[in-house]
Amino acid sequence: MQCARKALKGVIHNFCGFCDFHRNSPSARSFAFTSFTACARIFVLARFLQFCYIHDMSTLHPKKNLFLSDYMEGAHPAILQRLCETNLFKTPGYGTDEFCETARDKIRQACGCPDAAVHFLVGGTQTNATVIDALLRPYQGVVSAETGHINGHEAGAVEASGHKVITLPHHFGKLDAKKLKSYLDDFYNDENHDHMVMPGMVYISNPTEYGTIYSLSELSALSSVCKERGIPLYMDGARLAYALACPENDVSLKDIASLCDAFYIGGTKCGALFGEAVVIPDASIAPHFFTLVKQHGGLLAKGRLLGIQFDTLFTDNLYYEIGKSGIETADRLRKGLRELNMILSFPAPTNQIFVVLENDKIDKLAECAGFGFWEKYDDKRTVVRFVTSWATTPADVDAVLEALRENL
């Protein structure tokens, strides 16, 4: 409400100044109609802001039981507070400020790799396209599960930089080390492989698109195959906080830094307004990465906005606590869905929950609960996705379960 009050005062001030200008201007008559129209618009805006000040804005858009994704809310209050506290600080640009450096140090410490390169980018697709372009030669492609985000949900961003996405079968979103080895062996045993797109790196995400997570043994096996062939392993960590906080998880940040050649720590879906932190344990594998980020349009001039957010996320264990909160509400939702005898399609232990619904009930249920279409299950049923986040509350979960109960 304080922001609305300040905005209202500013609008009224500008409104009065605007009127004075046109009243005293020699050309006032020729601009009379334009002046009247503009003033009327400002007056309407002023009244709207006044309404916002008097009334709770949440009444304008009643909250629906939305579980569409984990980037629907703004940011964790601790981040907003820190951004406000530092708002008028003057700092150098492009991530060269003290906040970014402090955040880098905290991330290096958490990952157990003091010499790692840490770069801050704005969003996931941009990050994936930039990292993959940095690690590949022009004639190489990236191996991914056919369900990988880079293959199905990034509008060909990787291909737009000249690199093919080479897809392999998946098991609930995960790549299997044996199948990866078999593919790489077959490729190099083919006498015509010099005429083909060379597999130059491997892409995985954790959690996967199916909400599943890699175990330490699975990740170690993939890493071994990649090292044997001399190609980097890259992990997309858009939802990494939820993987780290999952009770079934046995992979730490230090394990990831040890087994992956590059990875990113997701912020956008894990409590930040925006931002992803790329970690490259051995910076020599991606020389001039800063310049490549610039080339890909990912270098934020006000880089300190990213540094402040990640500095906050890696203070007092906040990143892990954020993940824990999302997992706890997801578990609560899973339990409630099972009690409603709803079928869960995938064994996903993180913050994504996949439910099988009958097609003739989807529209009715969608009116009371926000979920997203995932994929066709069969001719009569569809898989939909519910996603919790760091901001989801037990009350949110109970409300959507009650709404589903009343409409099933």
Side-chain angles (χ1 to χ4, degrees):
M1 292 305 102
Q2 188 68 24
C3 292
R5 172 181 283 180
K6 290 181 179 179
L8 175 59
K9 288 182 179 178
V11 169
I12 292 173
H13 175 77
N14 291 332
F15 171 74
C16 295
F18 184 88
C19 292
D20 288 342
F21 169 79
H22 283 287
R23 183 176 66 246
N24 299 326
S25 171
S27 55
R29 290 183 180 180
S30 64
F31 286 102
F33 180 76
T34 303
S35 301
F36 174 80
T37 303
C39 289
R41 290 176 178 173
I42 293 174
F43 178 75
V44 171
L45 176 59
R47 293 292 293 173
F48 174 74
L49 289 170
Q50 184 180 36
F51 177 84
C52 294
Y53 173 68
I54 297 173
H55 300 278
D56 183 355
M57 277 294 291
S58 64
T59 61
L60 295 179
H61 299 283
K63 186 177 181 181
K64 189 180 179 183
N65 298 313
L66 294 178
F67 289 80
L68 294 173
S69 191
D70 34 19
Y71 49 69
M72 298 188 65
E73 296 87 3
H76 191 279
I79 287 177
L80 294 179
Q81 179 180 345
R82 190 63 178 140
L83 287 171
C84 288
E85 291 171 350
T86 59
N87 187 48
L88 296 180
F89 286 20
K90 293 178 173 60
T91 60
Y94 305 110
T96 61
D97 58 277
E98 61 187 271
F99 299 108
C100 285
E101 196 52 48
T102 300
R104 291 187 185 100
D105 287 341
K106 290 181 179 180
I107 290 172
R108 291 184 185 113
Q109 183 176 358
C111 296
C113 44
D115 298 323
V118 179
H119 299 269
F120 300 112
L121 285 84
V122 176
T125 296
Q126 177 191 80
T127 300
N128 285 333
T130 303
V131 173
I132 290 169
D133 197 22
L135 296 180
L136 293 180
R137 300 291 293 164
Y139 47 82
Q140 293 178 322
V142 53
V143 179
S144 165
E146 58 192 359
T147 55
H149 201 271
I150 60 170
N151 185 50
H153 293 91
E154 296 190 0
V158 173
E159 287 91 339
S161 63
H163 302 292
K164 182 176 181 178
V165 178
I166 304 165
T167 59
L168 294 183
H170 70 101
H171 178 67
F172 294 122
K174 293 193 282 187
L175 275 181
D176 177 76
K178 291 182 179 178
K179 290 181 180 178
L180 174 62
K181 185 178 186 308
S182 177
Y183 162 73
L184 293 173
D185 289 345
D186 288 345
F187 176 86
Y188 284 104
N189 287 333
D190 189 325
E191 293 182 358
N192 293 309
H193 71 261
D194 285 334
H195 298 268
M196 301 156 63
V197 176
M198 179 188 296
M201 64 179 291
V202 173
Y203 164 95
I204 60 174
S205 63
N206 197 41
T208 68
E209 291 301 290
Y210 282 60
T212 52
I213 56 176
Y214 284 92
S215 67
L216 183 57
S217 62
E218 289 172 330
L219 187 60
S220 297
L222 285 172
S223 179
S224 295
V225 172
C226 290
K227 283 181 169 59
E228 180 183 335
R229 283 296 179 181
I231 60 176
L233 175 63
Y234 166 58
M235 177 186 288
D236 175 336
R239 295 186 168 97
L240 189 55
Y242 306 110
L244 295 172
C246 180
E248 296 184 17
N249 176 58
D250 64 349
V251 177
S252 68
L253 266 179
K254 291 181 179 179
D255 293 326
I256 294 171
S258 172
L259 297 171
C260 295
D261 298 280
F263 62 97
Y264 82 81
I265 300 170
T268 303
K269 297 178 180 178
C270 302
L273 279 172
F274 53 85
E276 328 297 339
V278 174
V279 182
I280 307 174
D282 179 4
S284 67
I285 70 169
H288 312 295
F289 189 81
F290 177 94
T291 306
L292 196 60
V293 173
K294 179 81 171 183
Q295 190 179 73
H296 279 262
L299 192 60
L300 191 64
K302 296 182 180 179
R304 65 101 172 276
L305 297 179
L306 293 165
I308 289 168
Q309 293 186 80
F310 277 94
D311 179 67
T312 305
L313 287 172
F314 278 81
T315 298
D316 297 331
N317 220 33
L318 181 59
Y319 194 73
Y320 297 91
E321 291 301 319
I322 277 174
K324 181 181 177 183
S325 176
I327 294 297
E328 288 175 347
T329 50
D331 288 342
R332 187 185 187 96
L333 180 56
R334 259 186 290 269
K335 181 176 182 292
L337 292 170
R338 289 192 179 102
E339 290 174 351
L340 293 175
N341 295 317
M342 301 184 80
I343 301 172
L344 303 189
S345 181
F346 313 128
T350 55
N351 67 318
Q352 300 180 80
I353 304 168
F354 301 87
V355 181
V356 180
L357 295 180
E358 295 178 12
N359 292 342
D360 57 2
K361 292 183 178 180
I362 286 181
D363 290 341
K364 182 180 179 181
L365 293 176
E367 294 177 1
C368 64
F371 49 76
F373 168 83
W374 188 250
E375 63 187 20
K376 180 180 177 181
Y377 188 80
D378 56 31
D379 290 339
K380 296 183 178 181
R381 293 175 293 177
T382 296
V383 178
V384 301
R385 185 184 71 164
F386 291 81
V387 188
T388 61
S389 79
W390 58 273
T392 306
T393 66
D396 293 333
V397 174
D398 293 344
V400 76
L401 288 172
E402 181 60 30
L404 290 171
R405 185 179 294 108
E406 292 175 355
N407 288 277
L408 281 174

